[in-house]
């Protein structure tokens, strides 16, 4: 699951530099280097905490898989094809809940703090995924027989694919946009305009958004704004990574009834 390191880290840096060069010299627009540096700072913190995440896949996933009544064959292409579709389905719901349940949003919101839609925004990954626990949604896939290496590998490939979606310099993808998540679709997912909030949750595929009514495209009526509805303007990785947890903790100090505690923790993000 350590995708932003080693050879892929070199690819990430290369594509960021290419995007910056295109933006500066072809589009003649500014490129926010400070925000990009902040994104790499957040990514570094995520990387340093990866042993916790890695423990899930090395310990928890195999343990849960041991209770499966059968195991699909890793070498079979059908295992990977079926696994891909199942992981995409779970990812859609995991991602949707990460936007609509505040406890999950406290982690996931980090990814949406960038106020511009560029490749470095892709590597703003939470430091607290283990704590928020949305990874639990993948455990049923292990119980129905998918090997941990298949589930973990497909989640990693999903994240690698999505890195390349975080840019405004990509052309449209034509007919592929009916099936695949693309930069044009993911651009809307990162928008903070009221009409676009909680849209386009897909990972590699966009078909589940179309099926479950969460698909949206740029209607051209207003300029697309990026970032949170309450923008985070700091470039401090610590502030970026813990902003929503701090807000939630502050809100907890103001509650008066037990029902308000539940709503503050697990209601819709505020």
């Amino acid at each position: 699951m350590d995708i932003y390191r080693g050879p892929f880290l070199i690819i990430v840096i290369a594509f960021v530099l290419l995007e910056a060069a295109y933006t500066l010299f072809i589009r003649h627009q500014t490129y926010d280097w400070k925000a990009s540096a902040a994104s790499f700072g957040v990514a570094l913190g995520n990387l340093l905490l990866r042993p916790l995440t890695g423990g899930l896949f090395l310990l928890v996933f195999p343990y849960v898989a041991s209770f499966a009544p059968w195991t699909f064959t890793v070498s079979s292409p059908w295992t990977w094809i079926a696994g891909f579709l199942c992981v995409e389905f779970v990812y859609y719901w995991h991602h949707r809940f990460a936007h609509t349940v505040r406890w999950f949003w406290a982690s996931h919101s980090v990814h949406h703090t960038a106020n511009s839609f560029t490749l470095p925004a892709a590597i703003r990954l939470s430091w607290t995924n283990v704590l928020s626990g949305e990874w639990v949604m993948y455990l049923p896939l292990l119980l129905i027989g998918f090997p941990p290496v298949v589930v973990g590998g497909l989640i990693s490939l999903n994240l690698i694919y999505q890195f390349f979606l975080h840019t405004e310099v990509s052309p449209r993808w034509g007919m592929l946009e009916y099936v695949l998540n693309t930069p044009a679709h993911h651009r809307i997912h990162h928008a903070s305009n009221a009409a676009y909030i909680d849209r386009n949750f897909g990972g590699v595929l966009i078909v589940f958004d179309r099926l479950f009514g969460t698909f949206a495209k740029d209607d051209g009526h207003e300029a697309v704004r990026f970032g949170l509805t309450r923008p985070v303007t700091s470039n401090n990785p610590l502030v970026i990574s813990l902003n929503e947890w701090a807000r939630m903790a502050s809100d907890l100090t103001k509650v008066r009834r037990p029902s308000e505690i539940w709503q503050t923790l697990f209601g819709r993000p505020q």
Side-chain angles (χ1 to χ4, degrees):
M1 291 298 291
D2 293 343
I3 61 171
Y4 293 123
R5 64 186 296 179
F8 189 64
L9 177 59
I10 297 174
I11 294 173
V12 166
I13 294 172
F15 270 84
V16 168
L17 293 176
L18 285 172
E19 179 189 50
Y22 184 89
T23 301
L24 291 168
F25 303 119
I26 304 298
R27 287 191 160 188
H28 302 291
Q29 298 173 350
T30 59
Y31 198 81
D32 194 337
W33 292 106
K34 290 183 179 180
S36 297
S39 294
F40 276 94
V42 172
L44 177 60
N46 177 276
L47 185 62
L48 293 174
L49 291 167
R50 281 298 172 89
L52 294 177
T53 307
L56 293 177
F57 294 92
L58 295 176
L59 299 175
V60 177
F61 272 36
Y63 176 74
V64 172
S66 69
F67 292 96
W70 55 75
T71 301
F72 301 130
T73 305
V74 172
S75 59
S76 170
W78 294 110
T79 297
W80 289 89
I81 293 170
F84 168 74
L85 293 174
C86 289
V87 166
E88 284 296 305
F89 178 77
V90 173
Y91 179 85
Y92 169 84
W93 286 105
H94 147 224
H95 196 182
R96 187 167 175 173
F97 288 145
H99 278 255
T100 55
V101 177
R102 195 177 188 190
W103 182 265
F104 298 154
W105 175 246
S107 286
H108 184 64
S109 62
V110 174
H111 183 62
H112 286 264
T113 54
N115 296 307
S116 58
F117 190 59
T118 58
L119 289 172
I123 62 175
R124 289 198 181 202
L125 300 176
S126 173
W127 299 354
T128 58
N129 283 330
V130 173
L131 174 63
S132 52
E134 62 268 27
W135 51 269
V136 171
M137 295 185 64
Y138 293 94
L139 299 184
L141 297 182
L142 303 170
L143 293 174
I144 64 175
F146 287 105
V149 67
V150 171
V151 176
L154 288 169
I155 293 172
S156 293
L157 291 174
N158 180 306
L159 294 176
I160 290 172
Y161 175 85
Q162 287 194 64
F163 168 76
F164 299 99
L165 302 182
H166 293 76
T167 184
E168 294 200 83
V169 302
S170 171
R172 299 298 294 261
W173 290 17
M175 295 294 291
L176 291 175
E177 296 196 348
Y178 287 98
V179 178
L180 296 177
N181 194 10
T182 68
H185 297 331
H186 205 60
R187 175 176 179 268
I188 294 305
H189 175 71
H190 275 260
S192 59
N193 308 58
Y196 301 140
I197 289 176
D198 295 345
R199 299 290 181 178
N200 298 357
F201 295 112
V204 176
L205 302 176
I206 201 67
V207 292
F208 295 117
D209 287 283
R210 294 185 184 276
L211 285 172
F212 296 118
T214 53
F215 175 74
K217 60 182 180 179
D218 189 346
D219 60 17
H221 291 163
E222 58 182 332
V224 175
R225 300 184 303 274
F226 301 108
L228 303 179
T229 55
R230 298 182 183 183
V232 175
T233 57
S234 173
N235 288 319
N236 183 328
L238 189 65
V239 173
I240 292 169
S241 297
L242 301 179
N243 172 70
E244 183 58 27
W245 288 108
R247 288 189 62 240
M248 189 163 61
S250 176
D251 289 345
L252 278 174
T253 65
K254 304 170 187 175
V255 303
R256 296 293 179 266
R257 296 187 297 274
S259 61
E260 293 176 342
I261 296 176
W262 176 267
Q263 181 64 29
T264 300
L265 294 175
F266 301 107
R268 273 191 164 281
Q270 301 175 11

